Amino acid sequence: MFSRCTWSRALALTAVLACASAPATTINQNTSWTLQRPGSSKTLRVVAYGDSLYAGYNGSLFSVAKRAAPLVDGEYLASEWKASVEVVRRARSGARADDVYTNKILAEKSFMQASNTRGVTFEMCGNDYLQARTALTGQRGTCDFGVLDTALAQCTLYTEKAMQAINQYAPSGAFKVVANLYYPGFAADDVPTTCMDTQKKKPVNKRARFLPYLVRSNWRTCHLAEQYGFACADVFAEFMAADTDTNGDGRRDSEALRYVPGESESAYVTRITQTLGATLRDANTHLVDATTSYDYLQSDDVHPTHYSSASISLGFLTGTGSGAGAPDFADTRIVDGKNPQWNAWGHERMGWKLSDVTPGIAPRAATASPRSTAPRTPPP
């Protein structure tokens, strides 16, 4: 029921109603796309569970971007494995972590139980934090930061449950990858709250309050991954800092942000929010060298941009679409594990990172390289 409210322009990292007091609304956006390689005698499957990030939300309820991160990941894997790869995306736009866990990972576990499943990846929690941010933004009087505490607790709980379930149902030997979260609206959130902090007796900066929660959540995601045998794709590091050294510490900023196994949660939060806080940048202006930046977010300031305008249509009643075709980038165009557009688009960067951390993938060159000379303009 939409009644007095309308769909938000961002679908809130998947699909949240613009009316802050209304319940979130979700919608299935499922796809299956087979990357066909000539002469391949087998087809391997990669299953991706998540919300609109993995769905490839492109502003439509009845189509999604073809080259969303899971398909980009699958294309790299097909090149590595020299096999056709079916990329199954079971996504629920608008879903919070508990919804993704219950209605996708558990309810649709059969997709990862297939004997040809070679890998499973998932992401969640974006809507938990966006809804908490929306609730905080609408507050007047005394601020209730409990909405942020709840989002962090729920994300931690269901991220662990998701890993436990995937370990139970995925075939033995299948690789497993989880992606953490970037910060959509990083620049826009640099404003005071409309409510009063009880300790400071005045409004506080919304980004300063929100950032530590997101960073803490990302640490927990990658830390849980270590415990449960998952690789962690640190999307926050790939999106939120330049691929150059802007602070003179001898490391590329995006590299310096990365999660470090064994680092404590408090040390990680301090490193990201304070020590390296000045290097954080809005993903709308991601610097790939000293003078060139690319926009990693769509006009909604939430969802990643995607290379090419190709889309996958979804059934009106089923919310499901499928297709097949050759990879967009031939093996000869993938150099050092990167296609020519790897760092020019949000979904390309995320998909590259998913493949980069996949166990068994051949060693690659340094994760940041000079920007591609290929044009960013989508092909006709």
Side-chain angles (χ1 to χ4, degrees):
M1 294 179 62
F2 303 142
S3 58
R4 294 169 297 166
C5 300
T6 58
W7 290 87
S8 75
R9 63 191 178 93
L11 271 176
L13 236 182
T14 48
V16 173
L17 289 179
C19 177
S21 63
T25 298
T26 61
I27 182 172
N28 286 319
Q29 291 189 309
N30 303 313
T31 58
S32 173
W33 189 275
T34 300
L35 296 155
Q36 299 171 323
R37 290 179 59 89
S40 175
S41 60
K42 58 183 177 181
T43 298
L44 304 175
R45 172 180 284 190
V46 175
V47 182
Y49 295 104
D51 52 35
S52 65
L53 294 189
Y54 271 14
Y57 174 73
N58 63 357
S60 171
L61 300 181
F62 306 113
S63 73
V64 292
K66 173 189 166 188
R67 289 190 67 83
L71 190 132
V72 175
D73 176 27
E75 188 172 271
Y76 283 119
L77 298 178
S79 179
E80 287 278 348
W81 297 336
K82 308 304 179 189
S84 296
V85 171
E86 179 194 19
V87 180
V88 176
R89 287 141 63 177
R90 306 303 297 182
R92 192 171 178 87
S93 288
R96 294 184 304 201
D98 61 334
D99 196 349
V100 173
Y101 168 72
T102 302
N103 293 307
K104 287 300 172 184
I105 294 174
L106 284 187
E108 300 182 356
K109 61 182 179 291
S110 61
F111 289 94
M112 65 173 137
Q113 290 177 305
S115 60
N116 66 331
T117 298
R118 182 74 176 271
V120 181
T121 178
F122 80 97
E123 54 80 26
M124 55 171 54
C125 301
N127 285 298
D128 297 74
Y129 292 112
L130 285 178
Q131 291 179 37
R133 183 173 66 178
T134 298
L136 179 62
T137 300
Q139 290 181 10
R140 300 294 187 274
T142 302
C143 295
D144 176 13
F145 298 119
V147 292
L148 299 177
D149 294 318
T150 298
L152 177 61
Q154 290 291 99
C155 178
T156 304
L157 173 65
Y158 286 102
T159 296
E160 183 169 25
K161 284 180 172 290
M163 292 180 182
Q164 293 169 338
I166 292 170
N167 278 344
Q168 178 179 354
Y169 297 116
S172 175
F175 73 81
K176 294 157 292 186
V177 177
V178 62
N180 69 11
L181 298 171
Y182 57 89
Y183 188 156
F186 180 79
D189 278 358
D190 189 17
V191 294
T193 58
T194 55
C195 56
M196 305 288 286
D197 182 271
T198 55
Q199 295 182 341
K200 297 183 178 181
K201 307 298 181 183
K202 62 180 182 180
V204 295
N205 183 274
K206 187 162 64 171
R207 184 173 73 191
R209 174 65 67 166
F210 189 78
L211 178 62
Y213 280 91
L214 186 64
V215 172
R216 195 174 300 279
S217 178
N218 283 341
W219 181 89
R220 294 183 183 184
T221 295
C222 290
H223 184 66
L224 285 169
E226 287 186 88
Q227 298 178 53
Y228 286 99
F230 280 66
C232 186
D234 194 343
V235 178
F236 183 89
E238 300 301 324
F239 273 51
M240 302 305 301
D243 294 329
T244 59
D245 179 8
T246 66
N247 64 347
D249 65 356
R251 295 177 296 173
R252 288 179 290 270
D253 294 353
S254 55
E255 182 180 275
L257 283 184
R258 287 183 195 142
Y259 171 82
V260 178
E263 185 178 26
S264 70
E265 181 174 337
S266 60
Y268 176 79
V269 173
T270 298
R271 177 166 63 88
I272 302 301
T273 64
Q274 298 180 34
T275 308
L276 299 176
T279 68
L280 297 178
R281 296 177 56 90
D282 193 286
N284 281 293
T285 54
H286 182 90
L287 277 175
V288 295
D289 60 32
T291 60
T292 306
S293 68
Y294 289 139
D295 190 348
Y296 277 12
L297 300 183
Q298 298 178 39
S299 60
D300 62 15
D301 203 23
V302 173
H303 295 89
T305 51
H306 45 87
Y307 170 68
S308 101
S309 58
S311 62
I312 303 174
S313 297
L314 306 177
F316 180 78
L317 296 178
T318 63
T320 299
S322 62
D328 292 314
F329 293 99
D331 291 354
T332 54
R333 301 190 66 195
I334 299 177
V335 180
D336 291 332
K338 303 178 180 76
N339 69 40
Q341 298 288 338
W342 78 279
N343 63 353
W345 310 84
H347 273 298
E348 292 293 327
R349 187 65 177 253
M350 186 188 301
W352 166 78
K353 191 59 184 178
L354 291 174
S355 70
D356 187 55
V357 300
T358 297
I361 295 298
R364 297 175 173 182
T367 53
S369 66
R371 76 179 181 92
S372 168
T373 57
R376 189 177 186 276
T377 306

